Short mmCIF file of all heavy atoms in Angstrom, two decimals:
data_model
loop_
_atom_site.label_atom_id
_atom_site.label_comp_id
_atom_site.label_asym_id
_atom_site.label_seq_id
_atom_site.Cartn_x
_atom_site.Cartn_y
_atom_site.Cartn_z
N GLU A 1337 -5.25 -8.78 5.39
CA GLU A 1337 -6.06 -9.43 4.37
C GLU A 1337 -7.49 -9.67 4.84
O GLU A 1337 -7.74 -9.96 6.01
CB GLU A 1337 -5.41 -10.74 3.95
CG GLU A 1337 -4.04 -10.54 3.30
CD GLU A 1337 -3.43 -11.83 2.79
OE1 GLU A 1337 -3.94 -12.91 3.17
OE2 GLU A 1337 -2.47 -11.76 2.01
N TRP A 1338 -8.42 -9.55 3.88
CA TRP A 1338 -9.83 -9.78 4.12
C TRP A 1338 -10.48 -10.13 2.79
O TRP A 1338 -10.29 -9.43 1.80
CB TRP A 1338 -10.49 -8.55 4.73
CG TRP A 1338 -11.99 -8.62 4.79
CD1 TRP A 1338 -12.88 -7.91 4.04
CD2 TRP A 1338 -12.78 -9.45 5.62
NE1 TRP A 1338 -14.17 -8.23 4.36
CE2 TRP A 1338 -14.14 -9.18 5.34
CE3 TRP A 1338 -12.47 -10.40 6.60
CZ2 TRP A 1338 -15.18 -9.82 5.99
CZ3 TRP A 1338 -13.51 -11.05 7.25
CH2 TRP A 1338 -14.84 -10.75 6.94
N LYS A 1339 -11.19 -11.22 2.73
CA LYS A 1339 -11.80 -11.66 1.48
C LYS A 1339 -13.07 -10.88 1.21
O LYS A 1339 -14.17 -11.28 1.59
CB LYS A 1339 -12.09 -13.16 1.53
CG LYS A 1339 -10.84 -14.02 1.54
CD LYS A 1339 -11.17 -15.50 1.49
CE LYS A 1339 -9.91 -16.35 1.47
NZ LYS A 1339 -10.22 -17.80 1.43
N GLY A 1340 -12.90 -9.76 0.59
CA GLY A 1340 -14.03 -8.89 0.25
C GLY A 1340 -13.54 -7.62 -0.39
O GLY A 1340 -12.34 -7.29 -0.35
N SER A 1341 -14.45 -6.88 -1.00
CA SER A 1341 -14.13 -5.63 -1.67
C SER A 1341 -14.25 -4.48 -0.67
O SER A 1341 -15.34 -4.19 -0.16
CB SER A 1341 -15.07 -5.41 -2.85
OG SER A 1341 -14.75 -4.22 -3.54
N LEU A 1342 -13.13 -3.83 -0.37
CA LEU A 1342 -13.09 -2.76 0.63
C LEU A 1342 -13.34 -1.43 -0.08
O LEU A 1342 -12.63 -1.07 -1.03
CB LEU A 1342 -11.75 -2.74 1.34
CG LEU A 1342 -11.38 -4.09 2.01
CD1 LEU A 1342 -9.98 -4.01 2.61
CD2 LEU A 1342 -12.41 -4.48 3.06
N VAL A 1343 -14.35 -0.69 0.36
CA VAL A 1343 -14.80 0.50 -0.36
C VAL A 1343 -14.54 1.81 0.41
O VAL A 1343 -14.68 2.89 -0.16
CB VAL A 1343 -16.30 0.41 -0.68
CG1 VAL A 1343 -16.56 -0.78 -1.60
CG2 VAL A 1343 -17.15 0.31 0.57
N SER A 1344 -14.19 1.71 1.69
CA SER A 1344 -13.90 2.91 2.48
C SER A 1344 -12.89 2.54 3.55
O SER A 1344 -12.72 1.35 3.88
CB SER A 1344 -15.18 3.47 3.12
OG SER A 1344 -15.80 2.52 3.94
N MET A 1345 -12.21 3.55 4.11
CA MET A 1345 -11.20 3.27 5.12
C MET A 1345 -11.01 4.50 6.01
O MET A 1345 -11.06 5.63 5.54
CB MET A 1345 -9.87 2.90 4.46
CG MET A 1345 -8.73 2.64 5.44
SD MET A 1345 -7.26 1.90 4.64
CE MET A 1345 -6.83 3.18 3.46
N ALA A 1346 -10.78 4.24 7.30
CA ALA A 1346 -10.42 5.30 8.23
C ALA A 1346 -9.37 4.74 9.20
O ALA A 1346 -9.45 3.57 9.60
CB ALA A 1346 -11.64 5.78 9.01
N LEU A 1347 -8.39 5.57 9.54
CA LEU A 1347 -7.34 5.19 10.48
C LEU A 1347 -7.50 5.98 11.77
O LEU A 1347 -7.84 7.16 11.75
CB LEU A 1347 -5.95 5.47 9.89
CG LEU A 1347 -5.64 4.90 8.51
CD1 LEU A 1347 -4.21 5.29 8.11
CD2 LEU A 1347 -5.81 3.40 8.48
N SER A 1348 -7.24 5.33 12.90
CA SER A 1348 -7.24 6.05 14.18
C SER A 1348 -6.07 7.02 14.20
O SER A 1348 -5.15 6.94 13.38
CB SER A 1348 -7.14 5.06 15.34
OG SER A 1348 -5.94 4.32 15.27
N ALA A 1349 -6.09 7.94 15.15
CA ALA A 1349 -5.09 9.00 15.21
C ALA A 1349 -3.68 8.44 15.32
O ALA A 1349 -2.73 9.00 14.74
CB ALA A 1349 -5.39 9.92 16.38
N ASP A 1350 -3.49 7.34 16.03
CA ASP A 1350 -2.15 6.77 16.17
C ASP A 1350 -1.83 5.77 15.08
O ASP A 1350 -0.73 5.19 15.06
CB ASP A 1350 -1.98 6.11 17.54
CG ASP A 1350 -2.98 4.97 17.78
OD1 ASP A 1350 -3.76 4.63 16.86
OD2 ASP A 1350 -2.99 4.44 18.90
N GLY A 1351 -2.75 5.53 14.17
CA GLY A 1351 -2.52 4.61 13.06
C GLY A 1351 -2.64 3.14 13.43
O GLY A 1351 -2.44 2.28 12.56
N ASP A 1352 -3.01 2.84 14.66
CA ASP A 1352 -3.04 1.43 15.06
C ASP A 1352 -4.31 0.73 14.60
O ASP A 1352 -4.28 -0.45 14.23
CB ASP A 1352 -2.91 1.31 16.59
CG ASP A 1352 -2.84 -0.13 17.05
OD1 ASP A 1352 -2.04 -0.90 16.49
OD2 ASP A 1352 -3.61 -0.51 17.96
N ILE A 1353 -5.44 1.43 14.61
CA ILE A 1353 -6.72 0.81 14.24
C ILE A 1353 -7.04 1.18 12.79
O ILE A 1353 -6.99 2.35 12.40
CB ILE A 1353 -7.86 1.27 15.16
CG1 ILE A 1353 -7.54 0.95 16.61
CG2 ILE A 1353 -9.18 0.59 14.76
CD1 ILE A 1353 -8.49 1.57 17.61
N VAL A 1354 -7.34 0.17 12.00
CA VAL A 1354 -7.72 0.35 10.60
C VAL A 1354 -9.14 -0.16 10.44
O VAL A 1354 -9.43 -1.33 10.73
CB VAL A 1354 -6.79 -0.45 9.66
CG1 VAL A 1354 -7.12 -0.14 8.20
CG2 VAL A 1354 -5.34 -0.14 9.95
N ALA A 1355 -10.05 0.68 10.00
CA ALA A 1355 -11.44 0.29 9.79
C ALA A 1355 -11.78 0.45 8.32
O ALA A 1355 -11.42 1.46 7.70
CB ALA A 1355 -12.38 1.14 10.64
N CYS A 1356 -12.47 -0.54 7.77
CA CYS A 1356 -12.84 -0.51 6.35
C CYS A 1356 -14.29 -0.93 6.18
O CYS A 1356 -14.73 -1.92 6.76
CB CYS A 1356 -11.97 -1.45 5.53
SG CYS A 1356 -10.26 -0.90 5.30
N GLY A 1357 -15.03 -0.18 5.37
CA GLY A 1357 -16.34 -0.60 4.94
C GLY A 1357 -16.20 -1.54 3.76
O GLY A 1357 -15.35 -1.35 2.89
N SER A 1358 -17.04 -2.57 3.72
CA SER A 1358 -16.93 -3.59 2.69
C SER A 1358 -18.19 -3.65 1.83
O SER A 1358 -19.29 -3.28 2.26
CB SER A 1358 -16.69 -4.96 3.34
OG SER A 1358 -16.57 -5.98 2.37
N GLN A 1359 -18.01 -4.14 0.61
CA GLN A 1359 -19.11 -4.29 -0.33
C GLN A 1359 -20.20 -5.22 0.20
O GLN A 1359 -21.36 -5.15 -0.20
CB GLN A 1359 -18.57 -4.82 -1.66
CG GLN A 1359 -19.56 -4.85 -2.80
CD GLN A 1359 -19.79 -3.49 -3.41
OE1 GLN A 1359 -18.90 -2.65 -3.42
NE2 GLN A 1359 -20.99 -3.24 -3.92
N ASP A 1360 -19.83 -6.10 1.15
CA ASP A 1360 -20.80 -7.07 1.69
C ASP A 1360 -21.59 -6.50 2.87
O ASP A 1360 -22.14 -7.26 3.68
CB ASP A 1360 -20.10 -8.37 2.09
CG ASP A 1360 -19.08 -8.19 3.21
OD1 ASP A 1360 -18.94 -7.06 3.71
OD2 ASP A 1360 -18.42 -9.18 3.57
N ASN A 1361 -21.63 -5.16 3.00
CA ASN A 1361 -22.43 -4.49 4.03
C ASN A 1361 -21.91 -4.76 5.44
O ASN A 1361 -22.69 -4.91 6.39
CB ASN A 1361 -23.91 -4.87 3.94
CG ASN A 1361 -24.54 -4.46 2.63
OD1 ASN A 1361 -23.89 -3.85 1.79
ND2 ASN A 1361 -25.80 -4.78 2.45
N THR A 1362 -20.59 -4.82 5.60
CA THR A 1362 -19.98 -4.97 6.91
C THR A 1362 -18.89 -3.91 7.08
O THR A 1362 -18.46 -3.28 6.11
CB THR A 1362 -19.34 -6.36 7.09
OG1 THR A 1362 -18.24 -6.50 6.16
CG2 THR A 1362 -20.35 -7.47 6.87
#
């Protein structure tokens, strides 16, 4: 969970790391 609008996502090769770009420029 994260209080914000998630607009992009990428997963590491093993699926452990989840990265998301947010509408709030983070």
Side-chain angles (χ1 to χ4, degrees):
E1337 297 184 345
W1338 169 251
K1339 291 183 179 180
S1341 181
L1342 304 176
V1343 298
S1344 59
M1345 178 170 61
L1347 307 180
S1348 61
D1350 61 4
D1352 184 49
I1353 303 170
V1354 185
C1356 288
S1358 180
Q1359 188 77 31
D1360 63 3
N1361 298 358
T1362 65

